[in-house]
Every structure is written in structure tokens, then in C-alpha cells.
Amino acid sequence: GSLDKLRVLMLGSNYLTGTVPAGFGELNRLKLLDLEFNFLSGRLSPQQLCPAGNVLQAAYLRANNFTGSLNMTACRRLEIADIQENGFVGPLPVGQQNRQLKVLRARLNGFSGTISLRIWELPQLMLFDVTNNSLSGSLPQRVAPSVFLTSLSLGSNNLSGRVPAGITQSTQLSKLDLSDNFMLTGTLPDMMWMQGLQELSISNTLISGTIPQSLAQLPYLESVDMHNTLMTCCRSWQEAQAPQPPLLPAFLAFDESNQVSPASQMLGRDPLLNAYMNTGQNMLCQSVRRSPDYQTASTTTVLRPANLSRQSWIVDPEYYWFQQCQCISGYNPHWVDGAAAVWCNPSLHAPNAAAASSCVPMRVLTCVPKPRLAKEEIAGVAVGAVALLLLLLMLASLSVNMFMARYSKIRRQLH
């Protein structure tokens, strides 16, 4: 029979295989399409998903085996596009025509190219997740995302350039993930207007500078991950060794009761960073937490007390120049100048880039095994131990003889 009046088609999690029939293009009144968690494969043409006069509002294609490029710009009423965990390639499938788009989940695909400025300007956008793709290029500096944007996930791509200052105007943004973009540079902008921010991740990037004091003013902040970055508190070893060095901003403190091994946090997935970053092996460092004694200076923001104890901070020991780290038993501290040469490696910066001219020659703590005793030393120690044992036996024997002589003398006197 005819399905030209079909509004909702839900076939998710049904172990379906094969390709999507070309007849899907006749379902121009379809508003919701759910094909997620199947084994469907092949390509999806614009005529199948977005035929002329279509009214499609939600497409759930997650976790299939679709391949090829995808174009959904003709779906003018599209609000939700969940296309993650497939094999789509080419440019992102949405554009300025999708002005009703609220949610794009496109992680774990093979999308490439740049993120169009028109996508940033979509007025209804609330969630934008393109994690684990091959997107490249720099982010537009003057971007003004949707006022409704709550989650922005750009991790594990090839993005470069500086963190756009315009992102910090998103007062509703609760999640910002820029991690694993190994050519993302610059410093973190002022974030005082990001009052809804809960989660911030910039790990495995070339972002530099210090931790912004404005993060102290965010009332809902719960998680900050900045491991494997170029951020550092001080410009020199001498500054880090000052009587009261600025190892952390005033709103953070070291937790003496919680020592962690940085090795599990500092190993990134990029061989370029691994070649220069210290692994932090065989050492323990005091963890970083929100200072319970710090009071925000803001008169308009009241931090919820529960948030202070929940805040999680992952900060590399390079940031505070290993000043709160110590080697574990069996290892000796060894300071290496320039071990983290990534700070001054010109291959990581564009010619004449400001970052290349303002690099920091880092001094890194490494923990080396304590030297083992040589055979001659071991033999010497053994001979000394034997001699000492014999001496003790002789002294013991002498003491016994003296005691027996004294005892015999006392007996004779008594008789």
C-alpha cells in the first residue's frame, strides 16, 4: 500500500542489514526517521532523506555502516541530526539552509574540511558534536554562536589557530571540548561571561599561558582538564623558585592528602607531544583542587558550596614546574634543562609566529633509578659485614668469659 502519509518511522535496534531503499524519497511527509543501531550500509542520497517538499524534523542514523558523503541541506525543517558512529566522509552535511537545526551529533565519522562560518551562525543551535573526525582549519575568531548553545564538542580533529574569543560570549554553554587538536594554539580568553560552564577540556593542545582567574567566577564549573598543554605558571625557573611563587591562581590549591602519579594523565596520543612531554613516571605529585578558603569577589555570582568539593582539576606538573612532586622509593630526582623542548621547538609554530618568539625554556623533573652497587662494592660490604659479625662474636665471648670469672670469684668468697 501507499505510505505517502507516513509521519513517523521507527526501525531502530532491529538488526537490519542492506541498504536504504530508493523509495524512501517518496516519504515526503515523514517527520521522524529512526534507523539507529542497525547494520545498514551504503550511501544515502539527498533525494532519499530530503526529497522535494519534505518536512523531516528528526533523523536518527546512529551506529550503522553508512558510507560516502551526506548532504542534508535540503532538509529545511530539520531540527535533530544524529548521524554519529558511521563512515560518512566529506564536508559536514548541514549548512546555512538548516536554520531550524538544534542538534547535530556527528562524532566518530570521517568528515573533513573546515567548519563553515554559516554553521556557527545557525540561530537555533543547542548541541554541536563533531568529535573524532578529520576537520581542519582555524576557528573563526569573531564567531558569535547561537545564544541557545549549551554543548560544543570539537575534540579529536585537526583544528588549528587560536581559541575564538567569541565563544566566551555563550552564557548558556555548559560543555566546551577542544581536546586532542594538536595544533590549537594561543591562550584561553576571559571566560567570566560563561556562567553556565560545567565542563572544560583543552587537553592535548598547544594552548599556552596561565589559568584564567575568571574561571573562579563560574558558579557551576565541575571539571577542567588541561593536561598535555603548554600552559605554565612561570616564565622561568627563577620565578618558580621565588619565596612565594605564583604556582597556582589564588582560587586553586594543592591537596597534600591526595598525591597522584601524573604518568597516566600526561601521555597523549600524538607522537609529537609524546616526544617532548615528560611522562611523569616514578613520581607522585600533589593534586590540584579548588581552594576552600577562596571567596569570589563577584557580587552577582554566588558559588554553590557543593560545587567546590566536586570540582575536578587535571593540571600537568609542568604548569607548576614540579614544585609539589617527589620521586617514589628507589628513584632519585634528576633535573633536566630543556627536556620539554616543545616550549621552544620552532617546528610547532608558523614562521615568525608570536608563540615561537615567546617560548619558555622548561626545566623538568625526572626520576631515575638509584644506582646499584658494583660487584666490588658488594664484596666489600659483605667482607665488612662478616668482619663486624666476628667482632661482635669476639666481644660476646669476652663478655661471657668475664662474667664466668666474676661468678667464680664470688663463689670462692662465699665459701
Side-chain angles (χ1 to χ4, degrees):
S2 174
L3 297 176
D4 58 350
K5 295 183 180 181
L6 187 66
R7 300 289 193 273
V8 176
L9 179 60
M10 302 183 68
L11 299 174
S13 302
N14 275 296
Y15 300 96
L16 298 178
T17 60
T19 60
V20 175
F24 261 60
E26 300 175 4
L27 306 178
N28 57 3
R29 296 190 181 184
L30 194 65
K31 290 187 176 182
L32 187 152
L33 173 63
D34 181 1
L35 300 176
E36 65 182 2
F37 297 107
N38 283 295
F39 300 94
L40 298 170
S41 58
R43 296 172 175 262
L44 291 174
S45 69
Q47 292 76 24
Q48 287 175 298
L49 287 177
C50 310
N54 78 91
V55 293
L56 186 66
Q57 295 178 351
Y60 298 94
L61 308 177
R62 178 180 182 179
N64 280 282
N65 299 316
F66 293 123
T67 57
S69 60
L70 182 66
N71 189 341
M72 307 180 77
T73 56
C75 297
R76 304 296 180 88
R77 300 188 184 183
L78 188 65
E79 297 181 7
I80 300 175
D82 189 346
I83 56 176
Q84 58 188 318
E85 299 175 41
N86 279 285
F88 293 122
V89 296
L92 290 175
V94 296
Q96 61 180 333
Q97 299 91 335
N98 305 104
R99 296 187 62 80
Q100 302 299 318
L101 188 67
K102 293 180 173 63
V103 174
L104 174 65
R105 291 190 175 98
R107 64 166 55 218
L108 288 167
N109 279 285
F111 291 116
S112 58
T114 60
I115 303 176
S116 169
L117 177 62
R118 301 300 183 185
I119 295 180
W120 293 113
E121 295 175 344
L122 294 176
Q124 306 295 324
L125 195 61
M126 299 175 61
L127 185 149
F128 187 76
D129 184 356
V130 292
T131 308
N132 270 297
N133 281 281
S134 299
L135 298 169
S136 59
S138 59
L139 301 175
Q141 291 301 305
R142 298 183 179 180
V143 63
S146 163
V147 295
F148 303 108
L149 188 65
T150 59
S151 180
L152 179 60
S153 300
L154 307 176
S156 298
N157 281 284
N158 300 314
L159 301 175
S160 58
R162 301 174 63 87
V163 179
I167 290 181
T168 63
Q169 304 301 313
S170 301
T171 57
Q172 302 299 317
L173 193 64
S174 63
K175 177 181 179 180
L176 177 59
D177 181 5
L178 303 174
S179 63
D180 298 302
N181 284 287
F182 300 105
M183 297 308 293
L184 201 61
T185 60
T187 59
L188 287 177
D190 189 349
M191 296 183 170
M192 65 176 298
W193 300 110
M194 303 180 71
Q195 293 294 297
L197 191 65
Q198 298 179 22
E199 180 181 346
L200 172 65
S201 179
I202 57 171
S203 62
N204 294 317
T205 66
L206 298 183
I207 292 175
S208 57
T210 59
I211 300 174
Q213 183 68 26
S214 57
L215 291 179
Q217 309 298 324
L218 306 184
Y220 304 105
L221 188 63
E222 295 183 359
S223 172
V224 178
D225 184 353
M226 48 174 284
H227 78 274
N228 270 359
T229 68
L230 304 188
M231 300 182 73
T232 177
C233 69
C234 310
R235 298 295 305 172
S236 67
W237 172 252
Q238 290 73 22
E239 184 179 351
Q241 289 288 304
Q244 292 183 334
L247 300 181
L248 293 173
F251 66 95
L252 295 179
F254 292 106
D255 187 356
E256 298 180 3
S257 63
N258 184 21
Q259 293 191 334
V260 296
S261 172
S264 60
Q265 300 174 347
M266 296 174 63
L267 286 176
R269 290 177 289 176
D270 184 80
L272 183 61
L273 286 181
N274 284 340
Y276 295 102
M277 287 293 197
N278 178 68
T279 61
Q281 295 181 355
N282 306 314
M283 71 175 65
L284 292 175
C285 301
Q286 294 181 18
S287 61
V288 175
R289 63 171 181 170
R290 175 72 183 233
S291 174
D293 300 326
Y294 181 81
Q295 297 295 326
T296 175
S298 172
T299 58
T300 59
T301 301
V302 178
L303 290 174
R304 298 180 301 175
N307 264 23
L308 298 180
S309 60
R310 288 208 308 267
Q311 277 191 10
S312 169
W313 287 80
I314 301 179
V315 181
D316 283 344
E318 277 99 342
Y319 184 89
Y320 46 86
W321 294 65
F322 297 88
Q323 293 303 291
Q324 303 296 324
C325 299
Q326 60 183 2
C327 296
I328 63 176
S329 177
Y331 290 83
N332 287 331
H334 178 64
W335 291 94
V336 180
D337 292 325
V342 66
W343 270 262
C344 291
N345 187 353
S347 66
L348 296 178
H349 307 288
N352 303 319
S357 61
S358 61
C359 59
V360 177
M362 176 61 66
R363 195 177 192 199
V364 173
L365 172 66
T366 59
C367 295
V368 297
K370 290 183 177 180
R372 295 181 178 179
L373 296 176
K375 292 183 178 180
E376 295 78 5
E377 294 175 325
I378 295 176
V381 171
V383 170
V386 172
L388 178 62
L389 180 60
L390 292 175
L391 178 61
L392 291 176
L393 290 174
M394 291 176 60
L395 292 174
S397 177
L398 180 61
S399 298
V400 170
N401 291 335
M402 292 177 63
F403 173 79
M404 294 301 297
R406 179 69 175 170
Y407 177 72
S408 299
K409 183 177 180 181
I410 293 174
R411 289 189 61 183
R412 286 195 301 269
Q413 292 176 349
L414 292 177
H415 293 289

